[in-house]
Amino acid sequence: MSEEARPARVEDVHELAEAMPHVTVVYGTGENPVYQVGGKSFVFFRNPRPDAFDPDTGERYPDVIVFWVPSDADKQAMVQDESSPFFTTPHFNGHPSVLLRGSRIGELTRRELAEVIQDAWLSRASARRAATWLREQQRD
């Protein structure tokens, strides 16, 4: 199995987000990393919050990762598929992002996770930075 086809891991989120150009990492509450481009967050790790919880136990999910998405249509496509590990909560209504539990990240391949992170970065990067990165990807 190739590296790109293997199941994704939480460590891959950090590696892939940090590998994008012009990324800075700030730390939010609980020292959770927030990955930013141009001062705009594109991926971050949440503290347990009341809007994301186990429906059976009521226990708050301790492992939620937030990814920005390019549009509401992209968000809906990702969360409406019952087999998708991505979800949203009413707290994120109208917000261009999807949520993913770290415990379900292995349902994605590393390549799929990379695409989600790249799309998140592209949705928040300046037009110039996005165009430069896309141009460089065509050369590779």
Side-chain angles (χ1 to χ4, degrees):
M1 177 184 311
S2 75
E3 177 72 5
E4 295 302 303
R6 71 161 168 76
R9 300 184 291 246
V10 171
E11 301 81 50
D12 295 327
V13 175
H14 303 289
E15 179 185 321
L16 293 163
E18 287 176 11
M20 296 303 293
H22 309 286
V23 169
T24 55
V25 182
V26 297
Y27 292 89
T29 53
E31 293 302 305
N32 285 338
V34 178
Y35 295 93
Q36 298 182 335
V37 57
K40 296 178 181 178
S41 302
F42 67 98
V43 173
F44 71 90
F45 289 73
R46 287 181 89 197
N47 286 332
R49 300 283 306 270
D51 66 310
F53 60 91
D54 183 303
D56 296 327
T57 66
E59 190 173 323
R60 294 177 183 183
Y61 293 144
D63 60 345
V64 175
I65 310 165
V66 179
F67 301 88
W68 261 254
V69 293
S71 70
D72 190 59
D74 291 291
K75 176 179 183 166
Q76 295 309 316
M78 293 171 82
V79 301
Q80 287 179 344
D81 178 354
E82 291 293 321
S83 67
S84 169
F86 294 102
F87 70 102
T88 191
T89 69
H91 178 77
F92 284 91
N93 284 351
H95 193 271
S97 61
V98 295
L99 310 177
L100 173 67
R101 293 195 62 200
S103 62
R104 292 191 65 188
I105 201 165
E107 294 176 38
L108 302 173
T109 65
R110 190 175 189 281
R111 177 184 307 273
E112 290 167 332
L113 178 63
E115 290 173 10
V116 170
I117 291 171
Q118 291 163 1
D119 286 348
W121 184 89
L122 286 165
S123 74
R124 304 292 282 167
S126 68
R128 182 181 52 78
R129 286 179 174 165
T132 299
W133 184 81
L134 288 168
R135 205 169 32 255
E136 289 170 357
Q137 300 313 298
Q138 292 175 342
R139 283 189 243 146
D140 290 343

